Amino acid sequence: MLRALQLMLPEATLRIVQETPWHSLTFAGTQICICAGLQDARGENAQQFAKDLPDHEFELSSQFVADIAVTEARFDTGQHSLVIDALILDN
């Protein structure tokens, strides 16, 4: 997942903040919270990334991205951070 996000936002520093197993009656997977740190004075790339992320088609070998979104964004002068929450299901 981190590699796929890194391809979308190559200038970001990504780290997993929390990873929790997730189960329903029919599916199993993982809830992941990722922080993306960026050094971009205008934040245009981060804003476009946040807009495009929910509709992006990820190609993961043994997993399916059921839900993903930027749930928090901070745009300060020269330093930006995004919090990305995702639900990834096992195939």
Side-chain angles (χ1 to χ4, degrees):
M1 183 76 229
L2 287 180
R3 284 186 211 124
L5 290 171
Q6 194 74 65
L7 291 173
M8 292 179 69
L9 200 59
E11 66 274 18
T13 301
L14 301 171
R15 65 182 171 86
I16 295 176
V17 177
Q18 185 175 2
E19 192 170 357
T20 307
W22 181 92
H23 303 303
S24 72
L25 290 174
T26 54
F27 297 103
T30 307
Q31 289 179 319
I32 299 177
C33 180
I34 298 167
C35 183
L38 298 110
Q39 296 286 335
D40 181 353
R42 296 175 310 228
E44 293 171 1
N45 289 349
Q47 291 173 351
Q48 188 64 45
F49 171 82
K51 180 181 171 189
D52 295 341
L53 184 61
D55 297 322
H56 185 77
E57 294 291 328
F58 290 91
E59 294 184 26
L60 304 176
S61 61
S62 62
Q63 297 173 315
F64 172 76
V65 179
D67 189 31
I68 190 165
V70 172
T71 56
E72 185 178 335
R74 292 188 184 134
F75 298 102
D76 299 320
T77 305
Q79 179 74 7
H80 308 292
S81 63
L82 304 173
V83 175
I84 303 161
D85 286 310
L87 174 59
I88 300 172
L89 303 178
D90 299 330
N91 285 340

